[in-house]
């Protein structure tokens, strides 16, 4: 996979934007449990009161709360509030909302109050509110079993009597006034005792009791507590909806960018693989089966595309989600972190076992896919032979065996990996039960709130789901890695045929001349040469024929001219220049090559002819077809040149395919024409007419003909006889009949002695 990273370079910005969107999406999704916790803790349990700083408070109660704060906190508290009286400019604005203003002054929280100060004073103000509540409603606070003013009643009565005698209080007992008027020493001792008691109370309990104080204040100033609660829940709900919408938008953007990058990489890979395969010589094709190249260009690239598309969403998203969720969960309850650790250990352990068993199977799957494609391709291309020999049952068994092997391997992988998902579900359910059991005990001890426990469960589930996504990627990555290596094998294959750095110019005095100088050839990896010391010259305007028994190397020899193979030894010169010193495109522009099998492409007769020359006119096509003896059967078709040709030319006969292939080469108007047994499917009359037309219309071109029929080449200016890769004789028909036994044997096997004498 790393070797293919260059294909991701055009999509660097897409990847960066994807990561940014994923960060936003992860934060959005991970903030939802926090808001859910607020709805439960503050919206439902606390009546819509989120912190211990009330939005409005009566002046008397404000002074009481402030009294139990230190001097610095008192100054900070004053910064948060605005005093509203009947003389205030904003009195009319608040009198309807706070009816108590008709009787008492109130302090209203500023709209632009500093949130940092609010957060800083929250706990201190909450404790102060508990003290005030304990003074004003001691029985109510005692009922909550949280806090009470644990004072000696006799001492309090004694202090009260002393204050009355000194005129410090009225006869009516006022506990707050009594405390306020204590001697400084006694007051400090009193405060220290209170703060020591408050330090033992959990922070969650402080918020609950302070909430009771704030509710009573809201009720006292004339607010509807149900409206306060509903407004809080509604506002939080709107925020959650907006966050969910933002998360959805980010997910859509991530999906678009990931799909675009995956499709773009796949497109570039297919283009490069196809281009690389096109540059292969026959030597490279022998290294890869055609079925394997098809699999690598389709299935393997699809695996890489899927990994990029899913990976950009999961590989980045899962770790981000998991990491942030862990920190969020620890914020809510660090004491339950061991539950998450236990779940992660169980999941990682099972994943390691699963992957150690499954990973080796992915290579087998791709190789079996190659084999299945090979069997299917052979059956489709050789269907007529299979039917002719009645081997349908054998081929079905062969395909079934390969298909079963692939199916069995895939089933093993999928079944084993499917255990991962039920295991994850079991772990998720057990984790939820464990969190509820542990959390319930902490809620009972006032160390945790219900909403926090619910949020912790959500974060734990997101952590487990992150590992589930990572496990899915671990399934995809190894298979895609195998596919990437297979693709890379094609891309990094060293091409044997390379263009020269500096191309040599053609010799104008040797246009169309082909020279073989002591050429020998062996297939790559072979220990023996199939051609030995070949020397001959094919001149412009002449026909050079090559004959020999089957396997003598005729086709191999002519394939060396357009560099379909590279000569192992010696030199091959075209127009006076070694073919190794000519760019392959320029070399093949000079050559019109007609292979043994006439291969046509899906399209029309016209599109196939224009394959030889893209801008060929109708007149050029008609001339080429006239020479190739193809005009007759083309004119018989209603659509003429627009007649449809199926893939491989299966809807025309073998002879028609050969004639169209010859016409396609003629239309190229090349200097050199190579016919590799291209007349084998023609009847004798068509063969004769075709050769006559070639000699007449292409008299200036160099003709090199490989043929099995002696009658096809017996009038050639030069006949080369091959025997087991060596030249057994060179000359005219008459000369070879007299001095080459191999040629004479071939001729007499096809013609009678009388026919041979007549042609001499």
């Amino acid at each position: 996979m790393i070797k293919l990273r260059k294909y991701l370079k055009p999509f660097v910005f897409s990847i960066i934007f994807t990561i940014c969107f994923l960060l936003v999406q992860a934060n959005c999704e991970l903030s939802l449990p926090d808001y859910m916790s607020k709805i439960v803790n503050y919206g439902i349990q606390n009546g819509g009161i989120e912190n211990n700083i009330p939005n409005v408070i009566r002046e008397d109660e404000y002074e009481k709360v402030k009294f139990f704060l230190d001097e610095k906190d008192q100054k900070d508290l004053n910064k948060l509030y605005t005093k509203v009286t009947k003389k205030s400019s904003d009195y009319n604005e608040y009198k309807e909302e706070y009816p108590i203003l008709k009787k008492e002054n109130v302090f209203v929280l500023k709209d632009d109050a500093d949130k940092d100060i609010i957060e800083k004073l929250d706990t201190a103000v909450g404790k102060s509110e508990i003290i005030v509540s304990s003074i004003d409603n001691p029985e109510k606070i005692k009922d909550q079993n949280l806090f009470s003013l644990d004072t000696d009643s006799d001492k309090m009565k004694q202090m009260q009597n002393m204050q009355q005698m000194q005129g410090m209080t009225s006869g009516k007992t006022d506990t707050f006034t009594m405390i306020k008027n204590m001697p400084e020493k006694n007051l400090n001792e009193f405060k220290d005792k209170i703060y020591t008691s408050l330090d033992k109370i959990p922070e969650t309990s402080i918020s609950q009791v302070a909430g009771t104080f704030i509710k009573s204040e809201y009720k006292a100033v004339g607010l509807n507590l149900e409206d306060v609660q509903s407004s809080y829940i509604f506002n939080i709900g709107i925020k959650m909806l907006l966050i969910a919408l933002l998360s959805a938008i980010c997910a859509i953007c991530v999906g678009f960018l990931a799909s675009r990058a995956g499709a773009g990489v796949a497109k570039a890979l297919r283009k490069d693989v196809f281009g690389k395969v096109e540059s292969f010589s026959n030597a490279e094709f022998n290294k890869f089966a055609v079925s394997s190249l098809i699999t690598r260009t389709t299935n393997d690239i699809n695996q890489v595309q899927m990994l990029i598309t899913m990976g950009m969403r999961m590989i980045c998203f899962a770790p981000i989600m998991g990491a942030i969720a862990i920190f969020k969960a620890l914020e809510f309850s660090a004491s339950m972190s061991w539950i998450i650790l236990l779940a992660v250990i169980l999941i990682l352990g099972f994943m390691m076992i699963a992957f150690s068993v499954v990973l080796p199977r992915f290579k087998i799957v791709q190789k079996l896919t190659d084999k299945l494609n090979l069997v299917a391709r052979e059956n489709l291309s050789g269907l007529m032979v299979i039917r002719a020999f009645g081997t349908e049952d054998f081929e079905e068994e062969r395909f079934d065996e390969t298909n079963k092997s692939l199916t069995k391997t895939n089933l093993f992988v999928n079944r084993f990996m499917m255990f991962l998902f039920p295991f994850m579900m079991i772990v998720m359910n057990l984790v939820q039960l464990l969190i509820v059991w542990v959390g319930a005990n902490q809620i009972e001890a006032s160390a945790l709130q219900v909403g926090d426990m619910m949020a912790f469960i959500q974060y734990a589930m997101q952590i487990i789901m992150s590992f589930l996504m990572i496990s899915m990627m671990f399934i995809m990555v190894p298979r895609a890695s195998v596919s990437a290596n297979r693709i890379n094998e094609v891309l990094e294959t060293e091409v044997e045929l390379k263009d020269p750095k500096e191309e040599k110019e053609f010799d104008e005095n040797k246009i169309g001349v082909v020279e073989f100088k002591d050429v020998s050839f062996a297939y790559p990896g072979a220990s023996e040469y199939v051609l030995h010391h070949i020397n001959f010259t094919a001149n412009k305007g002449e026909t050079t024929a090559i004959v020999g028994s089957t396997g003598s190397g005729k086709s191999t020899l002519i394939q060396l001219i357009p560099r379909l193979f590279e000569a192992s030894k010696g030199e091959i010169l075209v127009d006076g220049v070694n073919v190794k010193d000519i760019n392959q495109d320029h070399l093949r522009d000079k050559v019109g090559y007609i292979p043994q099998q006439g291969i046509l492409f899906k399209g029309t007769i016209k599109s196939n002819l224009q394959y030889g020359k893209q801008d060929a006119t109708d007149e050029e096509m008609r001339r080429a077809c006239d020479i190739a003896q193809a005009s007759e059967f083309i004119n018989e078709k209603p659509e003429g040149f627009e007649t449809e040709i199926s893939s491989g030319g299966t809807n025309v006969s073998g002879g028609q395919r050969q004639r169209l292939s010859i016409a396609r080469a003629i239309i190229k108007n090349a200097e050199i024409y190579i016919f590799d047994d291209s007349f084998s499917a023609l009847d004798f009359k068509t063969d004769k007419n075709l050769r006559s037309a070639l000699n007449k219309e292409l008299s200036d071109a160099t003709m090199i003909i490989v043929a099995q029929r002696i009658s096809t080449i017996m009038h050639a200016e030069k006949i080369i006889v091959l025997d087991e890769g060596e030249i057994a004789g060179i000359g005219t028909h008459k000369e070879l009949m007299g001095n080459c036994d191999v040629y004479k044997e071939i001729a007499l096997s096809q013609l009678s002695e009388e026919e041979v004498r007549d042609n001499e």
Side-chain angles (χ1 to χ4, degrees):
M1 284 295 297
I2 296 175
K3 294 179 180 179
L4 299 180
R5 65 184 181 277
K6 66 179 181 181
Y7 289 94
L8 288 170
K9 287 183 179 179
F11 304 98
V12 169
F13 288 108
S14 294
I15 295 171
I16 293 172
F17 282 122
T18 298
I19 293 173
C20 293
F21 282 124
L22 287 174
L23 284 168
V24 175
Q25 183 185 354
N27 278 288
C28 288
E29 292 190 9
L30 290 171
S31 65
L32 292 176
D34 189 18
Y35 283 105
M36 179 198 68
S37 173
K38 288 180 179 180
I39 287 178
V40 175
N41 292 339
Y42 306 121
I44 297 174
Q45 290 185 327
N46 228 24
I49 300 168
E50 186 172 0
N51 54 54
N52 300 326
I53 311 296
N55 292 327
V56 61
I57 185 171
R58 291 173 294 171
E59 183 178 12
D60 290 344
E61 297 302 312
Y62 178 81
E63 295 298 334
K64 289 179 183 179
V65 170
K66 191 170 72 169
F67 176 76
F68 290 102
L69 299 175
D70 59 36
E71 187 176 350
K72 187 176 184 303
D73 288 345
Q74 288 179 3
K75 291 181 180 179
D76 287 338
L77 190 66
N78 287 332
K79 294 178 182 178
L80 298 177
Y81 285 92
T82 299
K83 186 177 179 179
V84 181
T85 66
K86 290 182 179 180
K87 296 180 179 180
S88 299
S89 59
D90 51 0
Y91 172 77
N92 292 328
E93 181 183 345
Y94 289 110
K95 70 178 183 179
E96 296 296 330
E97 188 175 358
Y98 308 129
I100 194 67
L101 271 172
K102 296 176 182 178
K103 300 178 181 179
E104 299 182 47
N105 299 330
V106 297
F107 280 82
V108 178
L109 189 68
K110 296 177 181 177
D111 293 334
D112 58 348
D114 193 328
K115 293 183 179 179
D116 292 334
I117 296 177
I118 292 175
E119 187 176 348
K120 175 187 171 186
L121 293 178
D122 189 67
T123 302
V125 172
K127 290 179 179 180
S128 183
E129 289 169 347
I130 291 176
I131 297 171
V132 174
S133 294
S134 182
I135 293 170
D136 292 342
N137 302 289
E139 296 300 325
K140 188 174 182 180
I141 298 298
K142 283 182 179 180
D143 290 342
Q144 297 185 32
N145 295 320
L146 293 172
F147 172 77
S148 64
L149 290 173
D150 187 14
T151 57
D152 189 311
S153 59
D154 292 335
K155 288 183 179 180
M156 290 294 291
K157 287 178 182 179
Q158 185 180 2
M159 188 176 294
Q160 181 181 356
N161 292 332
M162 289 175 63
Q163 289 177 348
Q164 287 176 358
M165 291 173 62
Q166 295 172 2
M168 296 173 67
T169 64
S170 64
K172 189 177 179 181
T173 302
D174 185 341
T175 306
F176 180 76
T177 304
M178 181 183 66
I179 294 171
K180 188 176 181 181
N181 293 326
M182 281 183 180
E184 186 176 353
K185 181 180 178 181
N186 292 339
L187 180 61
N188 291 334
E189 289 178 358
F190 179 74
K191 285 184 177 181
D192 289 341
K193 186 175 182 180
I194 292 174
Y195 291 145
T196 302
S197 299
L198 287 170
D199 288 339
K200 298 176 182 178
I201 301 175
E203 194 169 328
T204 55
S205 298
I206 291 175
S207 297
Q208 290 175 4
V209 180
T212 303
F213 170 82
I214 295 172
K215 286 179 188 177
S216 65
E217 275 303 296
Y218 286 172
K219 190 174 182 180
V221 299
L223 289 176
N224 187 322
L225 295 181
E226 291 184 359
D227 290 344
V228 172
Q229 184 179 38
S230 299
S231 176
Y232 179 84
I233 294 175
F234 179 78
N235 290 333
I236 294 294
I238 291 295
K239 288 180 181 179
M240 292 180 73
L241 285 174
L242 293 175
I243 289 170
L245 179 62
L246 179 59
S247 176
I249 292 172
C250 289
I252 292 169
C253 293
V254 168
F256 171 77
L257 292 172
S259 299
R260 183 172 175 270
V265 170
K267 176 185 175 183
L269 279 174
R270 279 192 291 268
K271 179 182 177 182
D272 286 358
V273 169
F274 185 77
K276 186 73 173 185
V277 171
E278 279 196 315
S279 70
F280 282 177
S281 67
N282 290 347
E284 280 80 44
F285 275 112
N286 291 334
K287 294 180 183 178
F288 300 99
V290 174
S291 58
S292 180
L293 288 173
I294 293 172
T295 305
R296 292 170 199 245
T297 311
T298 53
N299 183 274
D300 285 326
I301 291 179
N302 287 341
Q303 295 294 332
V304 174
Q305 178 180 353
M306 188 181 300
L307 175 66
I308 294 171
T309 303
M310 301 298 293
M312 285 177 66
R313 286 186 279 183
M314 290 188 179
I315 289 179
C316 298
F317 188 60
I320 292 171
M321 282 283 289
I324 299 177
I326 288 172
F327 285 113
K328 291 272 190 180
L330 293 177
E331 283 181 10
F332 278 92
S333 179
S335 60
M336 290 197 292
S337 59
W338 63 272
I339 299 175
I340 294 175
L341 180 62
L342 178 62
V344 170
I345 291 172
L346 288 173
I347 292 169
L348 287 177
F350 187 83
M351 284 169 57
M352 290 175 66
I353 294 171
F355 297 145
S356 63
V357 174
V358 169
L359 294 188
R361 303 274 175 166
F362 287 125
K363 288 185 180 180
I364 299 174
V365 167
Q366 293 306 108
K367 289 181 179 178
L368 287 172
T369 304
D370 280 352
K371 188 176 180 181
L372 187 69
N373 283 339
L374 174 65
V375 174
R377 185 174 180 275
E378 286 181 346
N379 272 268
L380 292 173
S381 59
L383 191 60
M384 294 184 67
V385 177
I386 292 168
R387 289 175 177 173
F389 285 89
T391 57
E392 290 93 338
D393 293 340
F394 171 77
E395 292 299 331
E396 285 179 9
E397 288 178 8
R398 191 161 74 103
F399 181 85
D400 194 45
E401 181 182 351
T402 307
N403 191 27
K404 282 181 179 178
S405 298
L406 178 60
T407 304
K408 185 177 179 182
T409 307
N410 273 322
L411 284 174
F412 176 85
V413 171
N414 293 330
R415 284 171 179 168
F416 198 94
M417 293 310 299
M418 285 307 296
F419 280 108
L420 185 63
F421 299 99
F423 179 79
M424 289 283 191
M425 295 305 299
I426 292 172
V427 171
M428 288 173 66
N429 292 327
L430 291 176
V431 165
Q432 289 187 62
L433 289 173
L434 194 56
I435 291 172
V436 171
W437 182 66
V438 175
N441 292 325
Q442 293 188 7
I443 291 171
E444 186 180 9
S446 297
L448 187 71
Q449 296 192 67
V450 175
D452 292 345
M453 184 189 73
M454 294 172 65
F456 190 88
I457 291 174
Q458 290 296 315
Y459 287 128
M461 295 304 100
Q462 285 174 331
I463 292 167
I464 294 173
M465 289 303 296
S466 297
F467 277 94
L468 180 60
M469 285 191 284
I470 292 171
S471 69
M472 291 174 64
M473 293 313 303
F474 274 118
I475 297 172
M476 296 176 63
V477 168
R479 185 165 187 179
S481 180
V482 171
S483 295
N485 288 332
R486 285 160 53 84
I487 295 166
N488 201 54
E489 284 178 10
V490 177
L491 294 175
E492 290 194 347
T493 297
E494 192 70 23
V495 179
E496 183 179 335
L497 303 179
K498 296 180 180 178
D499 288 331
K501 294 181 180 179
E502 294 185 8
E503 187 177 17
K504 293 185 179 180
E505 294 184 3
F506 297 107
D507 187 346
E508 294 183 0
N509 296 321
K510 293 187 176 182
I511 298 298
V513 178
V514 178
E515 301 174 76
F516 276 67
K517 293 184 177 181
D518 197 29
V519 174
S520 297
F521 174 76
Y523 288 104
S527 57
E528 297 181 1
Y529 288 99
V530 294
L531 294 174
H532 307 270
H533 307 290
I534 305 298
N535 290 277
F536 72 88
T537 300
N539 294 311
K540 179 181 179 181
E542 293 183 356
T543 299
T544 301
I546 303 172
V547 296
S549 59
T550 302
S552 59
K554 303 184 297 295
S555 295
T556 303
L557 186 146
I558 60 169
Q559 286 176 358
L560 296 177
I561 300 172
R563 289 189 76 190
L564 301 180
F565 282 111
E566 191 81 278
S568 303
K569 291 182 179 180
E571 290 183 319
I572 302 171
L573 279 65
V574 172
D575 292 2
V577 181
N578 192 326
V579 293
K580 295 180 181 179
D581 297 326
I582 308 172
N583 284 342
Q584 295 177 62
D585 290 341
H586 296 164
L587 172 64
R588 289 164 187 167
D589 280 342
K590 290 181 170 292
V591 178
Y593 177 69
I594 304 95
Q596 285 179 312
Q597 295 181 343
I599 299 173
L600 300 179
F601 301 94
K602 183 174 177 59
T604 62
I605 291 176
K606 182 177 181 179
S607 67
N608 273 274
L609 292 175
Q610 287 180 331
Y611 204 79
K613 185 180 179 182
Q614 292 183 355
D615 57 348
T617 63
D618 289 346
E619 184 179 346
E620 289 175 320
M621 287 189 287
R622 280 192 290 270
R623 174 179 175 272
C625 291
D626 288 341
I627 296 172
Q629 307 302 303
S631 296
E632 182 181 353
F633 79 84
I634 293 175
N635 294 332
E636 290 176 354
K637 296 185 179 295
E639 297 178 2
F641 286 111
E642 298 300 329
T643 302
E644 287 290 329
I645 298 293
S646 60
S647 179
T650 54
N651 61 334
V652 293
S653 68
Q656 290 172 342
R657 279 201 300 273
Q658 279 195 341
R659 281 179 279 174
L660 288 174
S661 297
I662 293 168
R664 181 173 59 196
I666 292 172
I667 208 171
K668 191 175 182 181
N669 197 25
E671 296 176 3
I672 303 163
Y673 289 95
I674 300 173
F675 298 88
D676 187 3
D677 202 11
S678 307
F679 310 122
S680 57
L682 305 180
D683 58 78
F684 286 99
K685 180 182 178 182
T686 305
D687 184 347
K688 181 180 178 181
N689 293 337
L690 176 57
R691 285 188 287 108
S692 177
L694 288 173
N695 292 331
K696 180 180 178 181
E697 299 294 335
L698 303 177
S699 58
D700 290 337
T702 303
M703 298 283 181
I704 300 175
I705 300 174
V706 172
Q708 298 289 344
R709 295 177 184 170
I710 294 296
S711 59
T712 300
I713 52 89
M714 63 194 321
H715 296 292
E717 284 81 0
K718 186 182 295 179
I719 301 173
I720 300 170
V721 184
L722 287 182
D723 183 30
E724 296 184 359
E726 297 181 350
I727 294 180
I730 298 178
T732 62
H733 170 70
K734 183 176 180 180
E735 291 171 347
L736 291 173
M737 286 298 296
N739 59 28
C740 183
D741 294 336
V742 175
Y743 181 81
K744 185 176 181 180
E745 183 179 346
I746 296 172
L748 292 176
S749 67
Q750 298 180 21
L751 304 171
S752 65
E753 291 187 9
E754 184 177 339
E755 288 175 316
V756 171
R757 283 195 300 272
D758 290 342
N759 283 289
E760 289 180 354

